[in-house]
Amino acid sequence: MAVVMDHGEKKAQDAQQAFMQQLRKTFASLPREIPLLLFSQRGKEDVFVDACRQVVRAFRGLTDKITLKEYNLEHELAAKYKVDSSPTLLIDPNRYNIRWLGAPMGEEGRSFLEAMLLIGSGKSGMGEQSLKVIERLDSPRQVKIFVSPTCPYCPQQVVNGLKAAIERPELVSLEIIDIQCRPDLADQYGAQSVPQAYANDVLIGQGAQQEEVFLSSLIKLAPQTIFIPESTEQVVNTDVVVVGGGPAGLTAGIYTVRSGLRTAVIERDALGGQVALTPIVENYPGFSQVGGKTLVDIMVSHALQYVQIFQGEEVLEVRPGDPIEVTTTRRKFITRTLLLATGASHRHLGVPGEQQFSGRGVSYCATCDGPLFKGRKVIMVGGGNSAVTEALYLKHMGVDVTLVHRRDRLRAQDVLANQLPASGVPIMYDTEVKVIEGKERVQRVRLINTKTGKTSDMAVDGVFIAVGYQPAVGLAQKIGIELNEDGYIKHDAFHRTNIPGIYSAGDVEGGYKQIVTATGQGAAAAMTIFEDLINPYWKVAQAS
Ligand code: NAP
């Protein structure tokens, strides 16, 4: 029977043929062979093995550059390549450590095509910024990407993994795992949604990530949400250097660049300062409730639209003068002004056992470590807004938490404090921690009632500490900046310090230490800097 095609079908068929023709040409131009090794279990009917064969056969119809050899799991090559499940498809195993656990069906056909083209080209096809990121990788990464044939977002994440494995084959291995074929592995890793990426068994990405973000996550072994471009400049000439990438520093950066000033923000650690560690923020206007890290991501994305951020470099030295010289661990900045927005770091209790068990039951960050204590008993030490916010956060995630406060009244705002009894968080007033004890990890705390002097032991798995912050003034002191009697940077109403051209903003100045006050101080300092650069007060002072 003759098949009659309508016009639309004919057009679609022509387009498909043209596409196949183009693919044949592309494969023909590739410089390398693409050897594939398929391992399967002898004598076992397996739909995934059949599907694998079919996909490879279809691709081999396009090019003879793809070769396929099949082995069973008892073959010596299975032992050589540490293959123990069926089907496992190895891609060019003499050059790379890339394997598919399952069959590249459905949406995964796109990933497979990309894999064939990249392997055939012998190049990772990474962008310039990505190459700079992966260049920094200095230890092995075993990447696992969980996918499913019906997931349209998976190929993007698989391609990220492929590029990393091709660019750094000596350090990066890649397993692409089809959750339908390997539900056991999906269960083991808790991969409930796809794509989900792990490196060295640590979750580094949920959902498809931008290439540079995936690579940053791979390097840091933690999921990143924002990519900050790397700079190779050895000397940066600028009008303003902001030290500190918290709310004050980021806001200042936005304001100075919008005033036409060249600006660099330098941050040694993670961007966002203390806010990034705050579980929930409820008093930043415009957001009735927002996660601290989410708010930071929004701020950083906004700041990046204006200002260059140099993250991961520490300021080692500042030479005041005109210009000011700032030396970091990576480069030198020549700048007309300097803004110190170095924030504050958490205060320690200073009791025996605190340092010894830090990271082994003692924690200063509920958002970071809280999930590890689900269903376990902990105390939260402190009576301020941080202690209460974090105790509530722990309680809500299923941690058995008791607040321990040294006085008979909390310092925290009533609106927060009132939530403790409502949420079932017990409070031990007039109580101080004397000693933290344990073997490998924290096991108990010795407490003292400050009114009765009575001591008692309490069995706990964790001690969370939120007893305030101390200003990060080490750099300021090194430069010769005056501090006030409380140890914060001394400044005038315009955020000028005692050294001309050097300013301060945010928690390092003391005061209310709210996100909204920090951003306000950053904006105000930036506006002073703008005005001072037009009309330098120190020159006016010298002239008169
Ligand atoms: P904080 O307000 O200074 O409170 C520190 C708490 O720790 C106080 O209750 C203090 O007790 C206690 N403490 C200090 N040293 C101690 C020690 N050695 N042993 C036992 N307890 C000790 O610090 P924070 O709660 O970290 O807050 C810092 C700033 O950030 C504040 O300005 C706060 O308002 C702000 N913040 C705001 C929010 C929010 O608005 N949602 C959230 C977090 C933080 P005493 O009360 O006896 O002095």
Side-chain angles (χ1 to χ4, degrees):
M1 193 173 69
V3 177
V4 182
M5 268 193 272
D6 71 18
H7 183 63
E9 283 172 333
K10 171 86 174 68
K11 250 177 103 174
Q13 197 189 51
D14 288 351
Q16 195 186 356
Q17 275 174 2
F19 175 65
M20 293 311 223
Q21 193 52 34
Q22 185 55 45
L23 270 185
R24 278 191 192 92
K25 264 198 201 158
T26 307
F27 272 115
S29 69
L30 296 178
R32 282 194 183 168
E33 301 293 311
I34 308 162
L36 303 176
L37 272 57
L38 176 62
F39 291 85
S40 59
Q41 199 158 2
R42 192 202 306 257
K44 191 184 161 221
E45 279 297 306
D46 187 329
V47 286
F48 292 104
V49 176
D50 285 345
C52 237
R53 284 194 192 107
Q54 277 178 34
V55 173
V56 175
R57 200 175 299 137
F59 274 86
R60 292 185 70 206
L62 294 169
T63 176
D64 54 12
K65 292 222 161 88
I66 298 176
T67 57
L68 176 69
K69 288 189 177 152
E70 287 204 38
Y71 303 94
N72 61 51
L73 292 179
E74 286 78 46
H75 193 277
E76 60 184 28
L77 281 179
K80 177 182 170 189
Y81 292 119
K82 297 191 172 71
V83 174
D84 57 11
S85 72
S86 171
T88 298
L89 189 63
L90 302 187
I91 304 177
D92 198 353
N94 286 336
R95 289 181 206 272
Y96 307 109
N97 199 338
I98 301 172
R99 61 187 58 197
W100 222 290
L101 306 188
M105 298 181 291
E107 296 285 348
E108 281 314 297
R110 291 198 279 133
S111 311
F112 191 69
L113 170 60
E114 196 69 34
M116 297 299 95
L117 294 173
L118 290 175
I119 299 285
S121 73
K123 292 189 185 133
S124 70
M126 266 186 196
E128 198 186 322
Q129 279 298 338
S130 302
L131 287 169
K132 283 185 194 163
V133 179
I134 196 139
E135 210 177 79
R136 297 208 317 266
L137 186 67
D138 58 7
S139 56
R141 295 287 186 271
Q142 288 95 38
V143 180
K144 288 184 168 58
I145 301 181
F146 289 89
V147 299
S148 92
T150 49
C151 159
Y153 308 104
C154 290
Q156 185 181 331
Q157 194 71 326
V158 170
V159 170
N160 289 336
L162 284 167
K163 287 181 173 180
I166 293 171
E167 187 59 38
R168 300 296 304 272
E170 77 288 10
L171 289 179
V172 181
S173 67
L174 172 66
E175 278 182 332
I176 302 148
I177 304 166
D178 176 356
I179 58 166
Q180 292 182 6
C181 178
R182 296 301 307 270
D184 55 324
L185 281 179
D187 273 358
Q188 187 185 326
Y189 281 82
Q192 308 287 351
S193 66
V194 285
Q196 211 163 106
Y198 292 80
N200 300 2
D201 291 343
V202 174
L203 180 69
I204 59 162
Q206 254 173 325
Q209 292 169 300
Q210 191 196 332
E211 187 177 293
E212 296 89 348
V213 174
F214 170 81
L215 294 170
S216 299
S217 311
L218 182 67
I219 298 238
K220 294 181 181 165
L221 282 180
Q224 306 294 305
T225 39
I226 288 179
F227 173 70
I228 296 164
E230 295 275 315
S231 166
T232 50
E233 280 178 285
Q234 285 307 301
V235 179
V236 178
N237 283 290
T238 187
D239 297 314
V240 190
V241 162
V242 179
V243 187
L250 294 172
T251 309
I254 293 172
Y255 269 74
T256 50
V257 175
R258 286 176 59 89
S259 304
L261 300 175
R262 295 166 304 162
T263 305
V265 172
I266 305 172
E267 169 57 58
R268 177 180 58 182
D269 300 315
L271 291 162
Q274 300 298 326
V275 188
L277 306 178
T278 306
I280 297 286
V281 176
E282 293 181 335
N283 54 7
Y284 191 70
F287 297 85
S288 52
Q289 208 180 58
V290 60
K293 180 71 174 68
T294 306
L295 184 58
V296 167
D297 285 349
I298 294 169
M299 283 186 184
V300 173
S301 306
H302 186 180
L304 280 172
Q305 288 173 20
Y306 294 98
V307 66
Q308 194 168 2
I309 298 177
F310 298 80
Q311 196 203 351
E313 54 195 277
E314 184 177 357
V315 175
L316 298 174
E317 207 189 333
V318 172
R319 257 216 349 244
D322 190 9
I324 299 165
E325 262 185 44
V326 178
T327 309
T328 72
T329 38
R330 302 275 290 273
R331 68 197 99 229
K332 191 172 274 208
F333 294 81
I334 310 292
T335 180
R336 297 165 72 197
T337 60
L338 178 73
L339 171 61
L340 296 174
T342 44
S345 55
H346 50 247
R347 196 183 284 151
H348 292 211
L349 273 182
V351 297
E354 180 180 14
Q355 207 182 344
Q356 182 191 349
F357 293 108
S358 178
R360 288 187 291 140
V362 170
S363 170
Y364 302 87
C365 178
T367 359
C368 322
D369 302 329
L372 303 170
F373 292 86
K374 207 169 165 179
R376 301 165 85 180
K377 190 169 172 62
V378 307
I379 56 167
M380 167 65 71
V381 188
N385 282 334
S386 299
V388 174
T389 309
E390 296 186 17
L392 289 167
Y393 172 78
L394 290 174
K395 182 72 188 175
H396 290 151
M397 71 163 31
V399 180
D400 178 2
V401 57
T402 300
L403 191 86
V404 173
H405 180 41
R406 66 180 176 184
R407 284 191 299 130
D408 58 3
R409 215 186 124 68
L410 296 176
R411 182 180 289 271
Q413 291 159 355
D414 285 350
V415 68
L416 282 171
N418 293 340
Q419 289 181 40
L420 289 174
S423 302
V425 176
I427 307 171
M428 293 176 81
Y429 288 107
D430 302 317
T431 305
E432 278 182 10
V433 175
K434 291 288 284 178
V435 190
I436 301 170
E437 291 177 332
K439 277 194 182 144
E440 294 294 306
R441 299 184 50 81
V442 168
Q443 287 174 321
R444 72 193 148 273
V445 282
R446 175 141 326 131
L447 304 171
I448 182 162
N449 183 301
T450 53
K451 288 210 167 133
T452 62
K454 232 180 110 184
T455 58
S456 59
D457 281 358
M458 183 176 180
V460 290
D461 300 306
V463 178
F464 283 83
I465 299 169
V467 293
Y469 298 101
Q470 51 201 22
V473 288
L475 179 64
Q477 281 177 304
K478 221 166 135 185
I479 308 170
I481 305 249
E482 281 177 29
L483 305 183
N484 65 21
E485 54 280 11
D486 296 325
Y488 293 90
I489 291 183
K490 194 170 166 187
H491 58 93
D492 70 8
F494 299 97
H495 303 278
R496 296 166 178 149
T497 70
N498 60 306
I499 299 184
I502 303 188
Y503 303 78
S504 60
D507 285 3
V508 76
E509 291 188 329
Y512 291 114
K513 302 195 204 74
Q514 302 294 303
I515 309 168
V516 72
T517 52
T519 53
Q521 287 158 0
M527 289 197 278
T528 301
I529 290 171
F530 174 68
E531 283 162 20
D532 283 353
L533 282 178
I534 296 172
N535 194 10
Y537 69 89
W538 52 92
K539 289 198 177 156
V540 175
Q542 275 168 7
S544 56

